[in-house]
Amino acid sequence: MEEKVAVKEFQLEVEEKSPPHTYDNKMDAPKRAELESNLLSLSLNNSEQLQEMQEQPLTQLGLLRIKLEELKQENQNLRSMLSQVSEHYTALQNRMHSVVKQLEQSSSSSHNCHDLHLKDKRQDEILEKQAFPTWQFLAINDPSPSHGKTVEGFDSPKNNIGKHECTRLALAHNVGGDINNQIRPEGAKTIEDQASEPSCRKARVSIRARSDFSLMGDGCQWRKYGQKTAKGNPCPRAYYRCSMGTACPVRKQVQRCANDETVLITTYEGKHNHPLPAAARALASTTSAALSMFLSGSTTSQQGSTLPNNCGLFSSSLSSSVPTNLASFSSSASCPTMTLDLTQSNPSNILQFQRATSLNLTQSFPLPLLGCTQQSQGFYLSSKLPTMVPLEKEPSLVDMVSAAIAKHPSFKAALATAISSFNGPSQKY
DNA sequence: CGCGTTTGACCAGCGC
DNA sequence: GCGCTGGTCAAACGCG
């Protein structure tokens, strides 16, 4: 947005500085007739404007001035839009900070609850029911004891990342970890137990987005280390490692959807061991928060329980603010995978989580809502600007998620409700 | 020459 | 145990 405004300003500056190709009134008749013809050929719908033009001295300067006014008007509109976006972003950032503080308090109080758990199991069960009215029915159709899985997918406070990011991720880490430790279905494995299981070692976040490009910009640098054609999909799957840090364990897989080749599926796994650029932090923190909420919620479900498909994460908390079909669950993969589906245009499909392969989070857990500064990698300027050519670069995931937010105003409310429901019960802990 | 990509080989998990 | 499949390795190759 800022770049677009800057481009507009540059255009205006160039036009104002350009020597006007004025023609004096002494011009010959054929030339004057030609100019008049050209002027009339302009398909201006505004007859008033056209009349005003004809009354002016017949010069190109007049035409340029009109065009200048139009550009100024558009520039003003863009500035207004930018101002509004900035205000909304600031408000959301403040909101997120307050939520983070509240969650930090609830996290510390949950440690106290841990002692209660050790003293009186029965009392703990009561606490468990009280503490997670929202999450407790996050039953997964997967009967395997995979609940309580460690959240390895994203940054932890141990990592050398920014202070702000560290706080946020520490929050996510604490939320998932403490719940894992405290509320464990009988017979369920501990975090450490399951972390040691090779088949279920890491949680993943998958992002579905429509793109003609083979990659989606996410702020990180990746090095391709393999490619494989998976069964059931003619499109090969590419394997990438993060090359921003030395021996960074983060990997991602990129593959086109078998059913719709315009859909690019990017799956992230692992946690970065190095500072991330802003754009990457935004993506990582969003997926981290969503994943931790998903995983922490799943830990409260009873093993082997079954719920209807539309009964899942956020189902009670978001159902009031977001239309139906927010969540769907299935269980066909060994790893818990959360999918951010940016391909949906239906506002009713805002939030969807998948468990095991199909925790289908159809919207986009909003990146900017988590207070990250986003730096877009690719700008796709309006076609109204002939001087600006769309960058021949992979689209930015951050941009796409942001666009999804802008497209669905209910995202904000949905997330706020989700966080509130997440925060509220924890405070009881 | 260094770095990234390509691609066949290899390995481990899983189901039958 | 065997075969299938997903994931990774590493040598070969290409490019700047």
Side-chain angles (χ1 to χ4, degrees), chain A residues 318-361:
Chain A
L318 289 185
S319 57
S320 58
S321 59
V322 177
T324 56
N325 295 328
L326 299 183
S328 67
F329 295 95
S330 67
S331 56
S332 54
S334 57
C335 296
T337 302
M338 184 190 71
T339 300
L340 299 171
D341 193 341
L342 306 184
T343 65
Q344 301 292 326
S345 58
N346 183 4
S348 66
N349 265 336
I350 291 178
L351 267 168
Q352 231 175 353
F353 275 81
Q354 283 182 326
R355 173 66 181 186
T357 55
S358 328
L359 173 83
N360 186 6
L361 194 147

Side-chain angles (χ1 to χ4, degrees), chain A residues 96-402:
Chain A
M96 188 57 208
H97 287 162
S98 64
V99 169
V100 165
K101 286 183 179 178
Q102 291 176 359
L103 282 175
E104 284 174 343
Q105 292 172 1
S106 65
S107 177
S108 60
S109 61
S110 67
H111 284 286
N112 298 332
C113 184
H114 181 65
D115 296 331
L116 281 176
H117 173 73
L118 296 175
K119 291 178 180 177
D120 190 342
K121 183 181 178 181
R122 186 175 178 181
Q123 186 177 355
D124 180 67
E125 290 173 352
I126 297 174
L127 274 173
E128 178 180 334
K129 291 179 181 178
Q130 289 177 344
F132 293 94
T134 301
W135 316 98
Q136 63 185 2
F137 51 83
L138 294 170
I140 310 301
N141 290 338
D142 185 359
S144 63
S146 59
H147 310 303
K149 200 162 297 168
T150 179
V151 184
E152 289 190 357
F154 288 87
D155 301 287
S156 74
K158 298 174 185 177
N159 290 339
N160 181 24
I161 53 181
K163 182 181 179 181
H164 183 76
E165 186 68 15
C166 185
T167 302
R168 191 180 322 112
L169 296 179
L171 169 68
H173 183 270
N174 287 338
V175 166
D178 288 341
I179 293 174
N180 269 333
N181 289 332
Q182 295 170 40
I183 305 173
R184 185 185 316 146
E186 241 175 270
K189 297 176 180 178
T190 64
I191 297 173
E192 293 74 15
D193 292 340
Q194 297 187 12
S196 63
E197 289 185 1
S199 63
C200 227
R201 50 183 183 177
K202 288 175 182 178
R204 296 177 177 180
V205 173
S206 180
I207 299 177
R208 292 166 53 91
R210 294 192 185 281
S211 172
D212 293 331
F213 294 84
S214 58
L215 277 178
M216 300 293 289
D218 49 23
C220 281
Q221 295 175 355
W222 302 93
R223 183 172 181 267
K224 190 175 183 178
Y225 68 90
Q227 181 168 310
K228 198 85 173 179
T229 302
K231 186 183 179 183
N233 191 341
C235 303
R237 175 184 300 166
Y239 300 90
Y240 295 88
R241 274 198 191 94
C242 178
S243 60
M244 291 189 74
T246 54
C248 178
V250 175
R251 294 174 183 185
K252 80 170 179 180
Q253 301 174 6
V254 179
Q255 187 177 34
R256 295 213 166 270
C257 180
N259 298 329
D260 186 355
E261 292 190 6
T262 65
V263 175
L264 197 66
I265 304 171
T266 308
T267 304
Y268 296 89
E269 175 184 316
K271 54 185 176 184
H272 293 280
N273 61 359
H274 55 86
L276 292 171
R281 282 208 315 269
L283 190 64
S285 62
T286 294
T287 49
S288 173
L291 188 64
S292 63
M293 292 173 82
F294 150 60
L295 287 176
S296 63
S298 70
T299 60
T300 65
S301 62
Q302 292 302 311
Q303 188 176 342
S305 58
T306 301
L307 282 182
N309 284 340
N310 61 351
C311 185
L313 191 60
F314 298 147
S315 56
S316 74
S317 60
L318 289 185
S319 57
S320 58
S321 59
V322 177
T324 56
N325 295 328
L326 299 183
S328 67
F329 295 95
S330 67
S331 56
S332 54
S334 57
C335 296
T337 302
M338 184 190 71
T339 300
L340 299 171
D341 193 341
L342 306 184
T343 65
Q344 301 292 326
S345 58
N346 183 4
S348 66
N349 265 336
I350 291 178
L351 267 168
Q352 231 175 353
F353 275 81
Q354 283 182 326
R355 173 66 181 186
T357 55
S358 328
L359 173 83
N360 186 6
L361 194 147
T362 310
Q363 148 265 180
S364 25
F365 216 69
L367 307 178
L369 291 182
L370 292 177
C372 290
T373 303
Q374 53 175 342
Q375 293 177 348
S376 300
Q377 289 193 323
F379 287 93
Y380 297 87
L381 301 177
S382 167
S383 57
K384 293 179 180 178
L385 294 174
T387 57
M388 293 302 296
V389 179
L391 300 178
E392 292 297 336
K393 187 177 179 181
E394 70 268 19
S396 163
L397 272 177
V398 182
D399 288 345
M400 291 196 69
V401 176
S402 301

Side-chain angles (χ1 to χ4, degrees), chain A residues 31 39-40 51 79 92 172 204 210 252 258 323 332 407:
Chain A
K31 198 164 188 176
L39 178 62
L40 290 175
Q51 186 178 359
R79 284 181 180 278
L92 292 173
R204 296 177 177 180
R210 294 192 185 281
K252 80 170 179 180
S332 54
K407 193 174 182 179

